Amino acid sequence: MIRQITPSMRRHLYSASSAPWRELEWSRWDACVIGSGPGGSVAAATLALAGKRVVLVERGAFRPPDDLNFSVLDMAMRLGHVDLTAGGRTTLHSGRVLGGGSVIFGAVAMQPPSYVFDEWAEASGIPELTSSLLAPHYACVGDVLSVTRQTVRQENRANAIVRQMAEAMGHEDGLELAQRYTAGCRGTGLCTLGCGFDLKGTMVNSFLPLGLETGNLTILTECEAVAFETELARDGALAVALHVVLRGAQDTLPVRLRIRAKSFVSASGSLPTSALLMRSRLRRSACPGGQVSLQPHGIVHATFDEPVTYRGHRDNGRYLPMNGVPAIYNFTGLLQQRGYYWFASSVHPSSLAAYTAHLPPDEHRQIMERFHYTSSITVTLRDNPERSRIDLRHDSPHLDFVESVRDCDALRRCFLDAARALLAVGARQVFLPMLRPPRISTDSDLMAVAEASMSYDRMLLYSDHTSGGNALGVDRRHGVTDLHGRVHGTTNVYVADASLFPSASGVAPSWTIMAFARMIALNLGATL
Ligand SMILES: Cc1cc2nc3c(=O)[nH]c(=O)nc-3n(C[C@H](O)[C@H](O)[C@H](O)COP(=O)(O)OP(=O)(O)OC[C@H]3O[C@@H](n4cnc5c(N)ncnc54)[C@H](O)[C@@H]3O)c2cc1C
């Protein structure tokens, strides 16, 4: 069900310029939550619903649905944030707006298979870490966000290609109908630019209004958490305040504030949460920043003889494709065995242009002219890197990341499988996400992929499923946080975001992040 942030709720929602900062400094909250993505919003709403006085700080701005205009560059800059791994090898995408990644996510709701939970239980030394532990929380989140299974009646040409690929590979049972955070969808396929129709379930139209409705939740946007002020207590470090900086319009000076609370929950994402703990010198208590996974994506484009996408229409000067729901299937049949899954992504001219940019201009123009005959498949790898560690450089997070040989081989296998299956279902040309991809129009061209040298700086990969950094672990040897999300060696600092994952989840992560956040907030609420 889509809820609205009503005018009366907006009385508790401040920007940098409207924040009553003197009043805020005098207050002492039950909980202060950092970050308003799936983790932070669910944690804040759960605590507010339990009757706790909560302040939520978010460094991005509030963008009401009317502000979302489907325009690629405009939306990417207003809603998103990009980091790079060391050496600029892989881009890391996240949201920087009230609602965090949920405003720009693809709305695909998935739960990790049971073997991932088995691995997590073993790695963390916490045997209770099972999918049944999270089951009630998955159910509650699914209910609030109207998680809905797609149906075969929604199959468009792009999805039909994914189904036929599974059949051609002899793995039709590896195809599953996707669940999505929406009970209705207009089918522009532009979810990652923010849904201007406000039909996609995001934090702004679900958990945040639920929390605001209680009157217990106050939200500060354009407010960046810098570090905790801590004291040494008998049971470990005690955070007494959070230092924040409010940055509004360019012509106003930043305001620095000290927010006092009984407990603090960081849900600002893998890199920012790890950096916050490091800046707060909580390194002595725990060792944040390790075990980070990218779970990288690549996009495979292919041209066909028949149109794949339908022509959209112009609306108020903007072009709106109307292709139907982008991903109604997930092909997960080889996830356990080969580490990857894929789905049909909506093809956008800017994406096709970028992924075929290696071609000479005349060929590039010909490909762009065949835009409506092009399909796009997003492949995702459940990775296990060789080395990955977040550190601070000039107080900002920096991810030192080296992929493993095993992951490069898995990607090669995935590209080969996808290209072979696309050719089998009628693709004329396949474009792999590589800097210099071999020309692929017949099976014999695949030999060049089998022989190509594969490393992340030779591929066009990105990550929007970055996780880890503050993994759950029974003690400091196994992880950074306990099963209740509390940072080891602290008495009142909690984590409730993707950084809790002990390893890559293998699937779209947001549902699991929200399930953990609800579990952590319910436990915390009971102690306050
Ligand atoms: C383009 C895209 C498509 C995606 N598609 C899907 C999908 O279909 N399904 C799925 O399950 N997942 C998807 N994801 C991933 C999903 O969105 C993320 O896993 C999820 O949003 C992570 O939630 P989080 O709460 O851990 O962090 P985030 O959503 O990253 O939220 C963290 C928030 O904290 C704020 N913040 C950061 N630092 C500070 C600071 N110092 N002070 C204050 N605030 C701070 C950020 O601005 C941000 O709003 C997608 C992501 C992207 C970017």
Side-chain angles (χ1 to χ4, degrees), residues 34-41 57-60 93-102 104-110 181 192 223-226 267-270 272-273 276 279 343 462-466 496-499 507-511 513:
I34 302 141
S36 66
S41 293
V57 302
E58 164 56 54
R59 71 178 173 185
H93 291 184
S94 57
R96 189 188 183 126
V97 62
L98 186 68
S102 74
I104 52 173
F105 67 14
V108 176
M110 294 172 88
Y181 300 118
T192 55
C223 176
E224 186 164 346
V226 179
S268 48
S270 283
T273 289
L276 177 63
R279 284 193 298 263
F343 54 82
Y462 65 96
S463 164
D464 55 32
H465 289 179
T466 311
D497 59 23
S499 67
V507 297
S510 59
W511 203 356
I513 295 167

Side-chain angles (χ1 to χ4, degrees), residues 403 408 411-412 415 434 449 452-456 458-459:
E403 66 275 17
C408 291
L411 274 169
R412 184 200 310 277
F415 291 174
M434 298 165 73
V449 182
S453 149
M454 304 287 268
S455 59
Y456 281 18
R458 289 167 204 257
M459 294 185 247

Side-chain angles (χ1 to χ4, degrees), residues 5-23:
I5 294 186
T6 60
S8 69
M9 292 179 193
R10 285 196 195 194
R11 284 188 288 122
H12 303 281
L13 169 56
Y14 300 103
S15 66
S17 53
S18 66
W21 46 276
R22 276 190 203 289
E23 201 182 309

Side-chain angles (χ1 to χ4, degrees), residues 358 430-432 434 436-441 445-446 448-450 452:
H358 58 282
V430 177
F431 298 97
L432 293 176
M434 298 165 73
R436 289 200 190 84
R439 287 176 186 271
I440 301 172
S441 45
D445 297 332
L446 295 177
V449 182

